[in-house]
Amino acid sequence: MTAPAGEGTEWVWKALSDPTRRKVLDLLKRGPRTTGGLAEVFPSLSRFAVMKHLAVLERARLILVERRGRERWNYLNPVPIRQIYERWISDYEGLWAGSLLKLKRHVEQPNERSVRR
Amino acid sequence: MTAPAGEGTEWVWKALSDPTRRKVLDLLKRGPRTTGGLAEVFPSLSRFAVMKHLAVLERARLILVERRGRERWNYLNPVPIRQIYERWISDYEGLWAGSLLKLKRHVEQPNERSVRR
DNA sequence: GTCATATGTGACCATATGGTCACATATTTG
DNA sequence: CAAATATGTGACCATATGGTCACATATGAC
């Protein structure tokens, strides 16, 4: 990964770019889980693979961890997701509405495959 | 990349996970550009590297391309970003507000480093 | 203390990613 | 047509990523 890369949301984007990790977050949205409990949800993955994903999520502070006895409880932290929205996605809201009238001609041709490949 | 992965937004997440590509989108938000015009903005990258990024963005349909003569004009398509928001991010809005009261204890400890590493 | 359980570490591997370079093709201009 | 410009292709490379396995450690239950 080399460097945290200025802004601070960099690791969050990386963490969110994997579907398994997004699914983990979706699960934690409904309440905290232990590492083993999470691993059970992904029968196709080894427990170790799940642990690696959790490490990536933790680095991005998308999850917070509390050790209770020999268990590790993983909690969702929604704050970084909010930041992604506020600092980047929301800037595109203007375009979703209108204002891209000049693009419309090009964008909205039913199923135009990039105007001739 | 292997497979488009069910949902359809998969390539969009991958495309957005790179800071250079997000910067390209930020530039295109202000209007279309040619490939060469974009490459000039990234003096640290070769034109070929920029072209590869554009290919990734095009695969995700985040940009749409029109060839005019010997030039290639790249247009932003904001629709996939909107879908990311609607189909995933917005599901976390509830948590941003309150409703995570049970988490608060754990989440909001000033700078707790994952409760002991 | 001993054993089972829950998690962590280290080594390793295949593929994806981000990048390079050399060269090919297409299009405008004189 | 010839030259300059704009983009595209193929081969290649280093590192990151997602995954495996074997083994180590910590904690709760008897």
Side-chain angles (χ1 to χ4, degrees):
Chain A
M1 193 81 4
T2 315
E7 209 197 332
T9 57
E10 200 50 44
W11 283 346
V12 181
W13 281 110
K14 292 292 183 189
L16 293 180
S17 72
D18 182 86
T20 301
R21 288 193 289 264
R22 289 198 305 279
K23 192 171 176 187
V24 166
L25 295 177
D26 286 339
L27 287 167
L28 294 182
K29 199 167 43 177
R30 304 159 59 177
R33 302 214 187 193
T34 66
T35 300
L38 276 170
E40 284 171 12
V41 184
F42 301 92
S44 60
L45 292 189
S46 71
R47 186 175 55 83
F48 316 92
V50 173
M51 277 180 52
K52 276 203 180 183
H53 282 306
L54 290 176
V56 173
L57 290 168
E58 195 179 359
R59 185 185 62 181
R61 293 191 65 83
L62 280 161
I63 63 173
L64 298 168
V65 175
E66 179 185 6
R67 280 202 188 58
R68 273 210 288 266
R70 65 183 158 182
E71 293 172 324
R72 167 191 159 126
W73 285 85
N74 304 280
Y75 291 78
L76 171 67
N77 178 18
V79 173
I81 298 174
R82 178 181 203 168
Q83 290 175 343
I84 287 286
Y85 172 73
E86 288 177 350
R87 320 228 281 237
W88 202 80
I89 304 225
S90 65
D91 288 351
Y92 286 80
E93 280 184 335
L95 301 180
W96 300 348
S99 92
L100 70 167
L101 299 172
K102 43 188 176 337
L103 300 193
K104 285 209 151 192
R105 258 165 300 148
H106 308 286
V107 171
E108 298 197 341
Q109 285 157 30
N111 210 5
E112 52 120 61
R113 22 198 335 276
S114 310
V115 186
R116 238 168 40 71
R117 224 267 123 69
Chain B
M1 195 81 1
T2 315
E7 210 197 330
T9 58
E10 200 49 45
W11 283 347
V12 181
W13 280 110
K14 293 291 184 191
L16 293 181
S17 72
D18 182 85
T20 301
R21 288 192 290 264
R22 289 198 305 279
K23 192 171 175 187
V24 167
L25 295 176
D26 285 339
L27 287 167
L28 294 182
K29 200 166 42 177
R30 304 159 58 180
R33 302 212 186 194
T34 65
T35 301
L38 275 170
E40 284 171 12
V41 183
F42 300 92
S44 61
L45 292 188
S46 70
R47 186 175 54 84
F48 317 92
V50 173
M51 276 180 52
K52 275 202 180 182
H53 283 305
L54 291 177
V56 173
L57 289 169
E58 194 179 359
R59 184 186 62 180
R61 293 191 67 82
L62 280 161
I63 63 173
L64 298 169
V65 175
E66 178 185 6
R67 279 203 188 59
R68 274 211 287 266
R70 64 182 159 183
E71 293 172 325
R72 167 191 158 126
W73 285 84
N74 304 279
Y75 291 78
L76 172 66
N77 178 17
V79 173
I81 297 175
R82 178 181 204 168
Q83 290 175 342
I84 288 286
Y85 173 74
E86 287 177 351
R87 321 228 281 235
W88 202 79
I89 302 221
S90 65
D91 287 351
Y92 286 81
E93 280 184 336
L95 300 182
W96 300 348
S99 93
L100 70 166
L101 300 173
K102 42 187 178 333
L103 300 193
K104 285 208 153 194
R105 259 165 300 148
H106 309 286
V107 171
E108 298 197 342
Q109 285 155 31
N111 209 8
E112 53 118 64
R113 23 197 337 276
S114 310
V115 188
R116 243 171 32 73
R117 226 264 121 74

